[in-house]
């Protein structure tokens, strides 16, 4: 089970004001196994996909599913990972004219990718427009050998819940040294790891990536540091194990009109 996220055990404004000022709003998705509908926000659920737009496939040479490392899968359909409607995540700023966010990935292992895992693709849509043009009825499902269990999300409904998060690793070295003793004191006093109350390694939108490794923020081609859009982690209800990965973080550059995005794996 994902650890519940209770937020700071004390009022940070009093105790660690430097940290309090870095708080960012985050929406935890809190997935539960279920049967979400095509017009519902979900993880691993059916997607509101335009009938006249081909479903995405991945043909990366050499991608494979355990234990068939020596026999790559060929071209395989990608799988639905996240669908979010603006009405369910009011805190997320949707690009003008859109109100649906969709993320798919290839559920195979990718030896050409530094971390060897899923290759997310992000889509922004307008619900009304997709409904007017017709919804794709049969989303192709990968067959045996075309997906790896570790990256295959099961259908889950979500219960978006807003919390405030604080950076896990994203401090300057000076600030880290200043805060360290007070953070450790709190950890001891409440028997809670910093990450349990400050930054959630969970399926979430916004906030801070819960880096297990030192931060590795992507920069777009024009040199803008991207923002953290969402995190996908293998929580128990998602029935997805993600191998040794802590999570897949998706980042977005809003300064560029084409909204480039990038991902990072973390283990
Ligand atoms: Zn692939
Ligand atoms: Zn940019």
């Amino acid at each position: 089970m994902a650890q519940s996220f209770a937020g700071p055990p004390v009022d940070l404004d009093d105790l660690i004001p430097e940290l309090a000022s870095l708080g960012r709003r985050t929406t935890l998705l809190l997935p539960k196994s279920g049967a979400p509908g095509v017009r519902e926000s979900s993880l691993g659920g059916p997607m509101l996909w335009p009938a006249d737009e081909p479903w995405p496939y991945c043909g990366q040479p050499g991608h494979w599913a355990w234990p068939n490392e020596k026999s790559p899968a060929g071209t395989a359909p990608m799988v639905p990972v996240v669908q979010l409607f603006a009405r369910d995540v009011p805190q997320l700023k949707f690009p003008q004219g859109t109100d649906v966010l969709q993320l798919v990935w290839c559920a195979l292992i990718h030896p050409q990718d530094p971390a060897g895992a899923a290759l997310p693709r992000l889509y922004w849509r307008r619900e009304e427009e997709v409904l007017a043009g017709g919804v794709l009825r049969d989303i192709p499902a990968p067959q045996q050998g075309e997906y790896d269990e570790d990256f295959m999300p099961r259908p889950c409904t979500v219960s978006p819940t807003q919390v405030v998060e604080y950076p896990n690793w994203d401090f300057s070295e000076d600030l880290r040294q200043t805060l360290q003793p007070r953070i450790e004191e709190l950890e001891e006093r409440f028997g809670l790891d910093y990450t349990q109350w400050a930054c959630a390694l969970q399926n979430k939108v916004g906030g801070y990536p819960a880096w297990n490794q030192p931060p590795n923020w992507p920069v777009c081609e024009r040199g803008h540091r991207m923002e953290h859009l969402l995190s996908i982690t293998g929580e128990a209800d998602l029935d997805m194990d993600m191998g040794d990965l802590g999570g897949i973080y998706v980042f977005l550059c809003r300064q560029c009109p084409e909204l480039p995005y990038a991902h990072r794996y973390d283990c």
Side-chain angles (χ1 to χ4, degrees):
M1 270 308 280
Q3 254 151 0
S4 60
F5 183 81
V10 288
D11 189 345
L12 291 182
D13 287 327
D14 293 339
L15 228 67
I16 319 185
E18 304 94 321
L19 190 60
S21 68
L22 296 174
R24 274 189 199 165
R25 287 194 301 163
T26 302
T27 305
L28 303 179
L29 295 176
L30 306 177
K32 278 215 164 54
S33 294
V38 75
R39 292 181 69 187
E40 284 180 294
S41 293
S42 63
L43 292 183
M47 280 190 169
L48 189 80
W49 197 269
D52 60 359
E53 185 178 317
W55 182 257
Y57 280 72
C58 176
Q60 196 186 80
H63 62 180
W64 60 283
W66 196 87
N68 305 314
E69 189 168 5
K70 300 237 155 56
S71 50
T75 298
M78 294 188 134
V79 300
V81 181
V82 184
Q83 172 166 275
L84 294 173
F85 290 86
R87 55 180 170 268
D88 296 324
V89 279
Q91 167 233 321
L92 175 64
K93 198 172 139 228
F94 279 73
Q96 182 123 38
T98 71
D99 55 10
V100 189
L101 172 161
Q102 294 171 330
L103 186 89
V104 302
W105 68 36
C106 175
L108 287 159
I109 295 162
H110 295 86
Q112 293 183 27
D113 190 88
L119 302 174
R121 282 192 209 165
L122 183 65
Y123 301 85
W124 301 96
R125 307 189 186 281
R126 187 181 184 84
E127 182 178 18
E128 205 181 84
E129 215 173 277
V130 180
L131 290 173
V135 178
L136 183 68
R137 279 177 183 273
D138 297 305
I139 291 178
Q143 303 302 303
Q144 194 70 36
E146 291 183 333
Y147 65 91
D148 195 273
E149 288 291 342
D150 280 354
F151 301 101
M152 194 64 185
R154 304 290 173 227
C156 287
T157 56
V158 295
S159 307
T161 302
Q162 292 203 24
V163 297
V164 174
E165 281 191 323
Y166 304 90
N168 188 4
W169 277 81
D170 293 298
F171 295 120
S172 68
E173 192 48 40
D174 278 358
L175 186 56
R176 172 181 295 282
Q177 287 189 6
T178 310
L179 298 186
Q180 196 70 23
R182 276 179 285 164
I183 288 176
E184 278 171 14
E185 194 192 310
L186 277 190
E187 285 185 321
E188 222 161 275
R189 201 161 111 204
F190 294 95
L192 279 173
D193 267 1
Y194 178 72
T195 46
Q196 285 173 261
W197 61 260
C199 194
L201 182 58
Q202 288 191 27
N203 294 288
K204 66 185 185 186
V205 181
Y208 291 94
W211 307 106
N212 281 321
Q213 303 288 330
N216 178 12
W217 288 88
V219 171
C220 81
E221 281 182 5
R222 294 197 187 94
H224 310 127
R225 193 173 98 153
M226 294 187 174
E227 67 181 74
H228 173 245
L229 177 67
L230 54 89
S231 292
I232 301 299
T233 67
E235 291 173 33
D237 270 344
L238 251 179
D239 201 16
M240 182 170 68
D241 169 328
M242 293 246 203
D244 293 330
L245 297 170
I248 293 182
Y249 311 142
V250 180
F251 299 85
L252 180 71
C253 177
R254 290 186 191 270
Q255 296 178 66
C256 289
E258 63 275 24
L259 300 171
Y261 59 92
H263 65 280
R264 292 285 184 265
Y265 303 111
D266 201 29
C267 46

